[in-house]
Amino acid sequence: MSLMSTEQVAEFLGVKVERVKRLARESLLIAKGEDANGEPQFDADEVTKYKELAARFGGL
């Protein structure tokens, strides 16, 4: 399992960091852990699956 930071997820999805944090609060992206600063980290495979699913529904 490869973990991505909030910033990396935002860049990968093409959205702002605030949007990634909102997706996490709404349980659309599930954090798998936290970094040393307490920021959530996400599984890269799950982020990729979310991006594919969002594309099917018309985009992010």
Side-chain angles (χ1 to χ4, degrees), residues 11 18 24 26 47:
E11 183 179 331
E18 292 79 17
E26 294 174 352
V47 173

Side-chain angles (χ1 to χ4, degrees), residues 13-39:
L13 295 177
V15 298
K16 294 182 179 181
V17 172
E18 292 79 17
R19 175 100 186 251
V20 174
K21 290 179 180 180
R22 184 174 61 83
L23 292 171
R25 278 195 312 272
E26 294 174 352
S27 299
L28 296 171
L29 283 175
I30 307 298
K32 295 298 182 185
E34 293 183 349
D35 64 9
N37 297 325
E39 291 292 320

